[in-house]
Amino acid sequence: MTSTSGVHSALAPYGWDDDWADAFTPHAADGLLPGRVVRVDRGQCDVVTAGGVVRADTAFVTPHDPMRVVCTGDWVAVEAGGNPRYVRAYLPRRTAFVRSTSSKRSDGQILAANVDHAVVAVSLAVELDLGRVERFLALAWESGAQPVVVLTKADLVGDPVTLAHLVQDVEASAPGVPVLGVSARTGDGLDGLLALVGSGTSVLLGQSGAGKSTLANALVGEDVMDVRAARDVDGKGRHTTTTRNLLVLPSGGVLIDTPGLRGVGLFDAESGVGQVFAEIEELAERCRFHDCAHESEPGCAVRSAVDSGELAARRLDSYRKLVRENQWIVAKTDARVRAELRREWKRKGAEGRASMQFKRGRWT
Ligand SMILES: Nc1nc2c(ncn2[C@@H]2O[C@H](COP(=O)(O)OP(=O)(O)O)[C@@H](O)[C@H]2O)c(=O)[nH]1
Ligand SMILES: [Mg+2]
Ligand SMILES: [Zn+2]
């Protein structure tokens, strides 16, 4: 077995620290190995351990709850051997980036775990959609990570003055969030981004085609991620050969690339929405009514800020839209979770104690 200091020196570049080691203590006593998930696909995952990357089966830690599925960035306890070898547990997450899987279902999908910086990539090759940036930022804040916006493909913007204006527009929609213009093609702005992602774990988020993989390659300094051809931007029918979604950067820090997302639905992101629209929530404290909807109530500080031009009407519309979307998803989730719990209890009652004990005996 690898010594504690061996584990530390091998896994520290991946973010292993004393707190993770403490959390891992009971698993070490069980003879399990610590490791970080660098890739997940179809019931299997690749885990980097002190002895190298091992492939492990996630069946044991894949309950029906999609929020508890192992994902890239998780720290796990993996069996020392066996065929297949199993991931036996994952350590409690510090942060998790979750979106709702689709508008029809109310499941959350975990895209990355234990992330310190959520880097939202927004392409300057297409018209800026501030509403979409705000939606990504709501989820980014909600994850517990510090959001950063990277405006990619800055080389496609003709002049520096226009670029500066675009950066300002985004800054006005992203209180508390650094905004950087970057070109992976020319290298402009990369130093600023490297400084931000140089410690801790960063996840690259954004629509497919935003330039995330190109950016990852530029940060790593070699072609480790698949970049799709410009004509195939929606990626239909394309096989991705990426071997890892989690990489150690040569200058320090860990980077997680996510698959291209068509869009992200909010998932229980009330406080995230509040942080994206911090100035609106601040104004709302001065509304006459505590539960002011900022529609037609008298003494509404938010509406009067719109009237005076202090607050852009677009910001208020976007805020309303995301608050409504979030309330809807939360209501739907609660109903579903309640129904599921009822079914679960019925099933457990029917199966009886013996079979539950069999399951426990087998797995623990
Ligand atoms: N002009 C320009 N094109 C870029 C830049 N970064 C990426 N691209 C192009 O944008 C397309 C999508 O890039 P990709 O990294 O696959 O995006 P992803 O889907 O977000 O991972 C590719 O055709 C890239 O060549 C850049 O800095 N400048
Ligand atoms: Mg990509
Ligand atoms: Zn109001």
Side-chain angles (χ1 to χ4, degrees):
M1 240 186 107
T2 321
S3 71
T4 310
S5 66
V7 166
H8 190 84
S9 59
L11 293 181
Y14 286 89
W16 184 253
D17 59 27
D18 291 345
D19 290 335
W20 290 123
D22 281 349
F24 193 77
T25 311
H27 303 299
D30 286 343
L32 300 171
L33 306 177
R36 194 163 195 194
V37 176
V38 296
R39 178 174 185 246
V40 180
D41 75 318
R42 286 179 238 100
Q44 302 268 308
C45 66
D46 291 335
V47 179
V48 58
T49 69
V53 176
V54 301
R55 195 148 180 77
D57 194 298
T58 59
F60 181 71
V61 280
T62 306
H64 299 298
D65 180 355
M67 301 284 284
R68 295 183 53 217
V69 168
V70 161
C71 77
T72 304
D74 267 323
W75 285 100
V76 296
V78 67
E79 289 172 351
N83 189 18
R85 68 165 93 193
Y86 287 96
V87 173
R88 295 296 299 265
Y90 64 82
L91 302 185
R93 291 168 178 150
R94 291 180 189 169
T95 64
F97 187 88
V98 185
R99 67 158 177 169
S100 61
T101 45
S102 80
S103 53
K104 292 198 191 67
R105 295 172 58 200
S106 51
D107 292 337
Q109 182 194 15
I110 308 246
L111 291 175
N114 302 315
V115 168
D116 303 291
H117 314 284
V119 180
V120 179
V122 179
S123 169
L124 291 176
V126 293
E127 207 185 321
L128 260 183
D129 181 343
L130 292 172
R132 185 186 294 140
V133 176
E134 287 161 339
R135 165 188 298 272
F136 268 107
L137 287 177
L139 286 170
W141 280 120
E142 192 69 33
S143 74
Q146 165 67 48
V148 179
V149 174
V150 173
L151 301 177
T152 62
K153 315 189 195 183
D155 55 286
L156 298 178
V157 177
D159 63 301
V161 178
T162 310
L163 179 61
H165 281 140
L166 291 166
V167 169
Q168 277 166 19
D169 282 352
V170 177
E171 278 172 344
S173 303
V177 177
V179 180
L180 304 172
V182 167
S183 167
R185 186 149 298 170
T186 64
D188 283 346
L190 273 181
D191 284 351
L193 181 57
L194 270 171
L196 276 170
V197 302
S199 66
T201 298
S202 305
V203 64
L204 278 171
L205 303 160
Q207 283 209 309
S208 49
K212 298 179 297 296
S213 301
T214 310
L215 210 50
N217 290 340
L219 293 171
V220 174
E222 56 183 296
D223 285 352
V224 284
M225 294 294 176
D226 257 6
V227 171
R228 61 191 88 227
R231 64 189 147 68
D232 185 30
V233 140
D234 66 359
K236 281 202 190 84
R238 193 164 175 286
H239 182 66
T240 301
T241 52
T242 313
T243 54
R244 282 187 186 199
N245 303 111
L246 183 148
L247 303 157
V248 172
L249 295 175
S251 51
V254 174
L255 189 69
I256 297 178
D257 189 17
T258 55
L261 302 174
R262 223 159 265 273
V264 286
L266 293 186
F267 187 79
D268 199 356
E270 188 186 339
S271 75
V273 172
Q275 272 167 295
V276 177
F277 299 94
E279 86 279 28
I280 297 184
E281 302 238 313
E282 211 167 280
L283 284 165
E285 282 171 23
R286 288 190 264 128
C287 293
R288 184 175 307 162
F289 300 110
H290 163 72
D291 60 348
C292 183
H294 325 305
E295 304 274 1
S296 52
E297 293 89 341
C300 173
V302 174
R303 287 231 55 96
S304 67
V306 172
D307 291 342
S308 72
E310 187 195 330
L311 176 68
R314 188 205 65 77
R315 278 283 276 174
L316 180 56
D317 287 345
S318 182
Y319 172 70
R320 285 214 182 96
K321 194 168 154 230
L322 291 181
V323 166
R324 268 200 303 271
E325 176 181 327
N326 191 60
Q327 286 167 344
W328 181 72
I329 193 92
V330 168
K332 212 166 55 162
T333 307
D334 286 348
R336 192 185 63 98
V337 167
R338 279 195 298 271
E340 217 159 66
L341 281 176
R342 269 197 305 276
R343 271 198 303 277
E344 177 94 336
W345 285 113
K346 270 191 197 157
R347 190 177 56 77
K348 279 187 184 166
E351 277 175 1
R353 287 191 74 205
S355 81
M356 289 308 289
Q357 271 166 354
F358 165 69
K359 272 191 198 152
R360 274 195 215 110
R362 182 168 162 218
W363 287 124
T364 55

